[in-house]
Every structure is written in C-alpha cells, then in structure tokens.
Amino acid sequence: MGRAERELVASGTRLNTAACDVVADHGRAVEAVRAALTPLHDAAAQRELDVLPVARLQDVTEGRLRLDHVEQSGLRTVGEVLAAGAYRLRQLPGVGRRTADQMLAAARSLSDAVHETVAVHIDVDRPEPGTTALVMALHTLVEAGPDAVRAVARATGTAKRLEPLLAAAGPATGRLRMLLAGREKKARALAAVTELRSLLADAERAGLSELFAQSSVDLLRGPSSDLAAWADFELRSAEYYGLLAEISEQRPDTAAAEGFLPDEIAERVRAQRLDDTHRRVSLRGYQAFGARFVLAQRKTILGDEMGLGKTIQAIAVLAHLAAEGQRHFVVVCPASVLVNWTREVAARSALRVTLLHGPDRHKAFADWKGRGGVAVTTFDALRGFPEPGSGEVGLFVVDEAHSVKNPKTKRSQAVARWAERCERTLFMTGTPMENRVVEFRNLVGMLHSGVAESLAEGDGASAGRDGALAGSVAFRKAVAPVYLRRNQQDVLTELPSLQRTDEWEELSASDEEAYREAVQAGNFPAMRRAAYQRPERSAKLERLREIVEEAAENGQKTLVFSYFKDVLRVVQDALADRVTLFGPLTGGVPAGRRQQIVDDFTAAPGPAVLLAQIQTAGVGLNMQAASVVVICEPQIKPTVEHQAVGRAHRMGQVRPVRVHRLLATGGVDERLVKMLENKTRLFDAYARRSAVAEATPDAVDVSDTDLARRIVEDEQARLGMADGRPAAEPA
C-alpha cells in the first residue's frame, strides 16, 4: 500500500475532474441557449396573447363569464386583460372581485397554454440582437456535435462510478492511513482499488480522457463571429431547430411522432436501445423512434413524408447494427440517388461505403464481400449479384420502394428474393401508400405475408368514401407491425425551415457524350446545360421527375428554376403529362402577365409546377404556395440562387421549404460548386445584412468570364482535349 495506490487515485481524480468539467461545460452551453431563448419565447407568447380575442376567455370558463363591459372598456385581447391586472378590472362597471379573479385565472390558463405551444422563429432575413444571441449560443452545441453529447453521457456515468470508488480507496494511499483504518474500511479500500484499476484501464482503452478534453474544448469554443454563426445556421437550420426543440422541450405530440402506433408496439419500440457509436449526426426524437422501430420490428416500411430524414434514420440503424458486430449491409436505390447515398453514409457515419455500379461493379462486390461495409447499388445491378446467405447481410435497405410495387417486374422479384433472405429489411418511400392499398399490399407481402393477407384486395379506393380503409385507424392498426409514417405538420415543432439538398447525379453515357462535345467546343453555357440536351437519357431529368412526382403525391407545389430557356422547354415536355404546369416565366413575359401566372399557380387546387428562369422569377414575385424548389443547375452567382429560393421561403410560407439543387459529378457542376462554396457562406451572410449588397449582388460575386474560362480550360485538360480554344462567354 502506498505509492502505486496514490498514483492510481490521482489518475482517477484527474479523470473524474475531466468528466465533471465536460458535464459542466455542456450545462453552461445549454443554459446559454435557454438564456437567449427565454426573452424571445416570452415575446412570441406575448404577441400571440396580444391578438387573442378576449372572447376566448369564454372557452376556458365554459361560457360563465360576462364580457360585455370588458370589451366596451377597450380591453379587447387576453394580453390586455393580463396587463390590466385585478385592480383595474375591478374598476370596470359590472365587474366585481369574483369576476375579475375568474377573468384573470382564465387569462392565465390561456397564457400557460400559449407559452407551451408557441415556437420561436429564427428569421435569417431579419437578424436582430436577440435572435443573433440565440443562433450564436446554438452554434456552439451544433459545432460540438454528437461527440459532445456522447462525451457528456460517458462522463456522467464515469463520474457516478468514480466518485464513490475514490472516496473508498482513500485509506489505501498510505500505510499509516491503512493501519488506522478499521477492518471494514480496509476491505472496502482494497476492493475499491481493484475496481478503480479496472475502470481506469477500460477508460484508457476507450480514450475517455481525450474524448472529454476535446469535447470541453469544443464546448468552450464559440463562433468566430455572428456572421459565421448566421451563415452556418442557414446551411444547417434543421440541426439548429432540432437542438432548439430539444432544449426548449417543445416536442411534437407523442402519438404523432410515433406514427399513431398501437400501445403494445410503441412500448416495444421505446424499449429498443439505439447505439450511436458509429453515427456522426444527432437525431430528432421522432427520427430516433423511427430507427428504433426498424430495429425492433426487423422488416419494415418507413413511409415518412419527404423531408423528414428517412435516409438519416436508415443510417442510424446501420450504425447501430455495425456496433453490434454486423459487417455487411446493402442499399438498393434508383441510379439518380446513388451518389447521394454514398455521400450521406460517408458524412453521417463511420461506416465504409462501396459503390456497386458501372463496369467494375462485380470487382467492387468482391471487395465488399471481403472487407464489409455498406454496399450501394441500383435495382438493375442487384439482379446480377448472388443472393446472400442466411445472416450474411445485417440490413437490406430499399430506397424509393414504391418502384418495386409491381410483383411482375424483374426488379421487384429480385428485391423480394433478397428481402426473404435478409433477417432485417427496410423499405423507404415518401409516397403515401395508404392511398393505394393494392400496391401497398404487394410491398408488405415481401416483408410480412400475414399482414399483407389482412389487407384485402378491395380495400382503399373501392371501399367508398365512408368505409375506405385507406388512412383510417383500422388501416394503421392493420399495418402497424410493418409500417411507420409521420407527416411534417405533425412532428416539426418549429415554424417553416429551409432545407437544402444537393442532388448529385452521375451523367448517363448520352449525357457524357453531349458534355464532351461542349467541352471540345470550349462552350461554357453548353457545358452547363449538357445534362438536358438528350432528354431520353438524362440523369438529371429523371431525378427531377422523381422529386416532382413525390411532391405531387404529398399534395405540394413545386418551383423549377433554370438559367436557360431551352432547359425549361425540355422540363416542360418531360412533365407535360404528369402534373399541372404553369409558365415558363421568362424575360419575354410582360411583368403584369408574370404576376397573373403566379396568381394562377397559387390558386390552383392541389399540386402543380411553376417553371421559371431563375434570373427572371428570382426577384419581385412571391411564391409561398410552393414548398419544393428545384434548381436545374448551379448558378454562377450564389446570390441568384438565394434570391430565387427567397420567393418561396419568406413571410407567409406555412410549410418547410425544401430546395433540391441538381448537380452532375465530375464536370462543370462540381468545379463550379468547389470554386464558389468557400466564398458563398460569407458572401451570402454579408448580402443578407447589407442593403447595398442586396441591391447590387454583383459586388460580391466573382467575374463570370474569368470563372468560365478557368473551368473550360480545366475540363479540357481533364478530358485530354486542351487545344487553346477560347471559352464561349457565359449566356
């Protein structure tokens, strides 16, 4: 007893201090958010109360209050009643102490309800000191990321174990202390030393000291400026709002977040543990529930509405299974989202990802078989791979699963065979399949024959308006073991947010040929629109159709922007027989007619698509009717994109706006994005805060001609055709 034990206790004390520090640092960061949020939340609640008619007090008291004298006195809102207080209310004719007390009690009840439900909206277009303070406080936690949350959880558990062990091991740090200790204390000290040694060895293997130290640094490091925090918020608003909802404890209705599942299934899902060791993204509550549902139910359909993060939920499941020791996973999806899947898995998890596509796909398949990870492939390519053995694939994910609803197609048959051989299968689709029970039944049949049999062929549209099973409580109960769907309005607690997605597509062979011709000619505008020159084989056009059709299935309106008139004509032809079209809005359309087109688009019942030149419709027109925006190609001036998106994402928008920017890998789009992305954050943040910059966006953009020349020269060199031919001027 002595030196070795003293060093052991000292090491334990240092680890305990680091653990307590990271918990305290995280607590201070959370309190900073709450301190910034409270005045904004109170102000938002007050605004609600200031427009809430005093007549609503009748609702709280079931009509017992007489309010004639109150309204005649000029107190017209609940907020004014609260501000008046008991003394002033009793001065009103016909209002005694009892009535005044009842009025105030009813008003306070309404005030409490408003405070519970009102949400704070962070307006990027009108930054104020209060919202800036909130964004900066949130920025610290968003930047610290899931690692900090993980560190706090580990630190809390570590400190809880360490503190009693350090106290019990005290006598073992010196011979005299051990001599003076009683028999019972000596025994406890020796046992504590043994357990402490084991705990510290485990902590060293897990790198807890480094994790705690790095997390404390991250939690103490604030944004470099409010400009940087606002720019980051605009890029990652969903993460900020998710964190804000968690800290403010304003969560969606539990039943809605859990897809209105029966209690017995919901309880089983809640009990499912979710390991985040290999995950690099935080989950919202409903997303964590979705991942647990997939794990608990094993073979499922995740039907969340577009924009709720089905891909992130799938990655959370993959990460959990990898932590449990599973090594092989397969994702099958349309070719148009292959690149997105590989990028999302790589960015959101620590899992190895392998693309099984193109002429080398069989070689890549052999590599994946040997090394493991997530294999991402297409429906057509899947048919060429050998079906897995029992237990070989930890999770089989099928994205855009409505693509395999017809059991007679070869792709559906291949997916069905794989689903049968995999213990866990996840089908993903944003299409509300409960409106098409026959098709839905086919999908369910691949996963759970018993549930499929409970959905009779005639259910759905043929059942009549009153008896239709589709969308009813009976339908949800029947499919609950397999199917989970949540809608945006049910689970997003914040006011409308802006969600941006870069849709990276691989050019088809036909696209590639058109692109090479444009590069050979040194024609920069032709390079930018080459992906649409041969519509019958256009990868971008195929993805655009999918986005528009899914939005239409969900009853949403879509804006489609392009710089080029001929691209809009191609899109118009491709969508003509699929959705209701308006436009195109181009520079040749008179201003008055432009507004009429927008008005007609807004008034159109149900889903519709408005086509517009981005430089024409990007300013001066309000298009809040649309909640989905597609940008056909990246713009040379980032401000042009932001102004166009701002037509939909502005005051009056009632749904989150999702922006899809269509990009092709390996060519002009990728070079444009790379050259501009570093400038975009600060330029856009500046432009949003300066009236001068807003009026003259060219002041913060790089030279169009210089940019075009550099990209053409780079592409000619990459494709081995540099010949000194001058680049065509930008169109």
Side-chain angles (χ1 to χ4, degrees):
M1 295 296 104
R3 182 175 179 181
E5 287 71 22
R6 282 197 298 275
E7 291 178 354
L8 186 70
V9 170
S11 295
T13 301
R14 286 193 295 272
L15 182 62
N16 187 56
T17 299
C20 293
D21 284 347
V22 75
V23 172
D25 293 337
H26 184 265
R28 280 190 290 271
V30 169
E31 283 306 312
V33 172
R34 289 194 176 121
L37 175 63
T38 297
L40 295 174
H41 183 263
D42 289 347
Q46 189 61 50
R47 286 193 295 271
E48 291 287 326
L49 293 169
D50 286 343
V51 296
L52 197 63
V54 73
R56 293 299 301 275
L57 297 175
Q58 294 277 20
D59 300 338
V60 181
T61 60
E62 298 180 347
R64 293 193 301 272
L65 278 176
R66 295 183 60 186
L67 302 171
D68 298 345
H69 295 298
V70 176
E71 292 181 292
Q72 290 171 5
S73 71
L75 298 179
R76 301 190 179 279
T77 71
V78 175
E80 290 173 346
V81 168
L82 286 168
Y87 178 78
R88 185 182 168 194
L89 289 175
R90 289 200 297 270
Q91 308 307 308
L92 301 177
V95 177
R97 173 174 296 189
R98 182 179 177 186
T99 301
D101 289 345
Q102 288 178 332
M103 287 176 58
L104 284 174
R108 291 189 189 105
S109 295
L110 285 174
S111 177
D112 290 343
V114 168
H115 274 82
E116 287 178 8
T117 57
V118 73
V120 170
H121 174 53
I122 301 173
D123 192 342
V124 296
D125 293 318
R126 295 178 178 83
E128 297 173 350
T131 52
T132 296
L134 178 59
V135 168
M136 292 182 73
L138 286 167
H139 178 86
T140 297
L141 288 165
V142 171
E143 277 290 283
D147 283 346
V149 177
R150 195 176 298 120
V152 170
R154 295 295 298 269
T156 303
T158 299
K160 187 176 181 180
R161 290 183 61 193
L162 273 174
E163 287 171 0
L165 289 178
L166 291 171
T173 59
R175 292 180 182 276
L176 181 59
R177 293 187 66 182
M178 280 296 276
L179 286 172
L180 295 176
R183 180 180 300 176
E184 188 176 334
K185 283 190 175 181
K186 286 180 182 178
R188 283 204 304 268
L190 292 173
V193 166
T194 301
E195 190 174 348
L196 186 58
R197 185 175 288 111
S198 175
L199 190 156
L200 291 177
D202 290 343
E204 185 174 0
R205 282 191 294 272
L208 291 190
S209 293
E210 293 80 2
L211 175 64
F212 296 162
Q214 183 60 56
S215 295
S216 281
V217 169
D218 292 340
L219 289 165
L220 293 171
R221 183 196 300 123
S224 58
S225 67
D226 61 342
L227 200 68
W230 274 109
D232 190 62
F233 169 78
E234 186 168 354
L235 290 172
R236 298 192 286 175
S237 61
E239 293 181 44
Y240 281 74
Y241 272 124
L243 186 61
L244 186 60
E246 182 180 336
I247 292 174
S248 65
E249 298 182 345
Q250 280 196 317
R251 297 183 176 90
D253 176 75
T254 300
E258 296 179 353
F260 302 99
L261 292 176
D263 290 342
E264 65 273 14
I265 295 179
E267 283 296 330
R268 182 161 62 251
V269 173
R270 292 185 205 116
Q272 170 67 50
R273 187 179 64 89
L274 187 60
D275 194 306
D276 65 354
T277 303
H278 299 302
R279 178 163 32 94
R280 293 174 178 157
V281 62
S282 297
L283 302 179
R284 291 194 175 197
Y286 75 87
Q287 292 173 334
F289 184 87
R292 290 188 173 98
F293 175 83
V294 175
L295 289 165
Q297 299 302 98
R298 304 182 79 83
K299 294 199 173 188
T300 59
I301 300 174
L302 183 59
D304 286 347
E305 187 178 5
M306 182 171 59
L308 291 182
K310 292 187 290 294
T311 301
I312 288 174
Q313 293 174 69
I315 290 171
V317 177
L318 293 169
H320 173 93
L321 293 172
E324 287 193 337
Q326 296 283 351
R327 295 186 61 244
H328 293 84
F329 311 97
V330 174
V331 174
V332 59
C333 60
S336 58
V337 294
L338 273 176
V339 177
N340 279 337
W341 263 103
T342 58
R343 290 182 182 224
E344 285 293 294
V345 172
R348 310 291 187 178
S349 77
L351 304 182
R352 183 175 180 271
V353 60
T354 302
L355 182 62
L356 308 184
H357 187 56
D360 294 329
R361 60 185 179 275
H362 292 289
K363 182 179 178 181
F365 182 83
D367 179 64
W368 167 76
K369 288 271 286 186
R371 300 174 64 187
V374 182
V376 183
T377 191
T378 64
F379 291 106
D380 293 334
L382 183 72
R383 292 159 46 199
F385 300 129
E387 292 159 18
S390 177
E392 183 179 351
V393 173
L395 179 67
F396 178 47
V397 180
V398 181
D399 195 10
E400 305 291 349
H402 50 272
S403 301
V404 294
K405 62 196 176 192
N406 183 355
K408 296 179 180 179
T409 63
K410 291 182 178 179
R411 67 164 52 179
S412 298
Q413 292 164 6
V415 166
R417 289 193 297 271
W418 275 71
E420 184 179 4
R421 289 177 172 270
C422 296
E423 293 183 9
R424 281 188 170 90
T425 297
L426 169 59
F427 284 1
M428 295 165 51
T429 173
T431 302
M433 298 298 291
E434 59 263 51
N435 294 332
R436 301 177 178 180
V437 179
V438 174
E439 296 173 357
F440 184 82
R441 186 174 184 270
N442 295 334
L443 289 181
V444 174
M446 297 184 195
L447 305 175
H448 199 303
S449 58
V451 174
E453 290 169 4
S454 72
L455 303 176
E457 284 283 350
D459 290 335
S462 63
R465 179 176 298 177
D466 296 327
L469 182 63
S472 69
V473 173
F475 177 86
R476 286 190 178 276
K477 185 174 181 180
V479 300
V482 179
Y483 182 57
L484 178 66
R485 176 178 173 87
R486 282 76 57 90
N487 297 315
Q488 285 186 348
Q489 64 183 16
D490 292 331
V491 299
L492 292 183
T493 57
E494 74 268 13
L495 291 174
S497 61
L498 180 65
Q499 304 164 20
R500 299 179 184 271
T501 302
D502 281 348
E503 304 276 358
W504 287 96
E505 316 298 333
E506 286 189 357
L507 292 175
S508 67
S510 181
D511 292 336
E512 189 71 46
E513 185 178 353
Y515 181 73
R516 291 181 69 90
E517 290 174 4
V519 174
Q520 181 72 53
N523 189 332
F524 182 66
M527 289 163 59
R528 292 183 61 204
R529 58 181 187 263
Y532 300 94
Q533 294 309 295
R534 299 176 185 182
E536 64 281 359
R537 298 293 180 91
S538 169
K540 278 192 179 184
L541 196 58
E542 181 58 31
R543 181 57 184 150
L544 189 151
R545 286 194 195 98
E546 292 171 357
I547 293 168
V548 167
E549 288 175 0
E550 188 170 353
E553 290 284 355
N554 286 291
Q556 296 167 298
K557 288 184 168 71
T558 303
L559 297 175
V560 177
F561 288 116
S562 176
Y563 187 88
F564 305 101
K565 292 180 182 179
D566 56 349
V567 169
L568 292 175
R569 284 193 291 271
V570 168
V571 173
Q572 188 173 23
D573 292 340
L575 299 178
D577 59 347
R578 297 169 185 259
V579 292
T580 303
L581 287 172
F582 292 87
L585 286 174
T586 66
V589 177
R593 177 60 184 152
R594 292 180 200 175
Q595 186 59 59
Q596 185 59 54
I597 291 173
V598 173
D599 291 344
D600 293 344
F601 169 71
T602 301
V609 175
L610 174 60
L611 307 176
Q613 263 190 301
I614 196 165
Q615 66 274 36
T616 299
V619 291
L621 295 172
N622 297 331
M623 305 172 183
Q624 299 99 317
S627 56
V628 178
V629 178
V630 181
I631 300 174
C632 291
E633 69 285 319
Q635 304 304 303
I636 296 174
K637 294 182 175 71
T639 47
V640 172
E641 288 188 17
H642 289 303
Q643 288 171 344
V645 171
R647 298 306 97 205
H649 186 244
R650 60 190 300 110
M651 191 75 71
Q653 176 59 255
V654 296
R655 302 193 69 181
V657 176
R658 293 184 300 282
V659 181
H660 301 265
R661 185 168 60 160
L662 302 181
L663 304 168
T665 59
V668 62
D669 289 1
E670 195 157 295
R671 292 186 181 275
L672 261 175
V673 170
K674 277 186 178 177
M675 288 182 179
L676 295 173
E677 66 183 355
N678 292 332
K679 301 176 184 291
T680 299
R681 284 193 180 192
L682 291 178
F683 284 167
D684 290 349
Y686 169 73
R688 288 188 177 279
R689 284 155 185 74
S690 166
V692 174
E694 189 67 30
T696 57
D698 289 351
V700 292
D701 286 318
V702 297
S703 163
D704 296 0
T705 303
D706 179 60
L707 183 66
R709 183 174 292 110
R710 286 161 55 195
I711 290 177
V712 169
E713 289 172 353
D714 287 348
E715 284 299 280
Q716 287 177 339
R718 181 177 71 88
L719 297 174
M721 58 178 67
D723 58 2
R725 186 173 301 179
E729 297 290 350

